[in-house]
Amino acid sequence: MNKNYSLKDLGAIAHEVIASAKHKTVLFYGEMGVGKTTLIKEICAALGIEDRVSSPTFSLVNEYHTQENESVFHFDFYRITEEEEALDMGIEDYFDKNHWCLIEWPENIENLLPLDAVQIHLSILENGQRNIQLTSHI
């Protein structure tokens, strides 16, 4: 998928992301303020999470639960400077358990990421519109 979108499109995009993520790991790429957390909030809502969803910029990970008690982990690796920091927090364990893993700033832990993750690239175009590119590696 590669398309321009507005905020009103995010609900439909969230459902498309969920359908594409067979292994439940989704990587969000894009500059600061492009809408990564906003899209993650929509995905969490589509998964049935009723908790307040916010970016875990300082805590690195927030855990949410769906109505079926399925775990969803929201990572923000903006402040990670060494991949070892992610290893120290047990990132591999999160991936191994087949929980939802929604990861902002995945480029900071590039060598640790599962190869079958869905990649989402968000950008703001010159005219102010936003663009989303979704790549699924199944």
Side-chain angles (χ1 to χ4, degrees):
M1 169 180 69
N2 181 359
K3 65 180 178 180
N4 296 341
Y5 70 95
S6 67
L7 286 177
K8 67 179 174 46
D9 301 320
L10 287 182
I13 291 170
H15 286 283
E16 191 167 339
V17 170
I18 291 167
S20 298
K22 302 297 183 217
H23 299 285
K24 299 183 181 178
T25 299
V26 185
L27 313 175
F28 296 83
Y29 295 88
E31 64 189 53
M32 185 82 70
V34 76
K36 296 181 295 291
T37 302
T38 302
L39 179 53
I40 288 171
K41 287 178 183 181
E42 287 291 331
I43 292 169
C44 287
L47 289 170
I49 293 169
E50 296 176 356
D51 294 332
R52 183 179 171 284
V53 175
S54 62
S55 185
T57 302
F58 295 100
S59 62
L60 298 182
V61 62
N62 287 342
E63 181 177 0
Y64 308 108
H65 296 279
T66 66
Q67 293 170 344
E68 292 79 33
N69 206 31
E70 183 179 16
S71 293
V72 177
F73 296 98
H74 177 191
F75 299 89
D76 185 331
F77 291 125
Y78 179 74
R79 300 195 184 287
I80 292 281
T81 57
E82 300 287 331
E83 288 182 343
E84 191 168 311
E85 294 174 67
L87 288 171
D88 288 345
M89 70 178 286
I91 190 69
E92 294 166 318
D93 292 333
Y94 290 100
F95 296 147
D96 289 343
K97 293 198 167 91
N98 198 33
H99 296 299
W100 281 98
C101 293
L102 310 175
I103 303 173
E104 296 186 56
W105 303 100
E107 56 270 37
N108 291 345
I109 63 161
E110 199 71 39
N111 296 312
L112 306 177
L113 298 170
L115 297 176
D116 56 7
V118 170
Q119 294 183 17
I120 297 180
H121 295 266
L122 301 163
S123 59
I124 300 174
L125 305 175
E126 287 183 22
N127 64 5
Q129 272 195 305
R130 295 177 188 262
N131 180 268
I132 186 167
Q133 293 178 317
L134 182 144
T135 306
S136 180
H137 302 284
I138 299 173

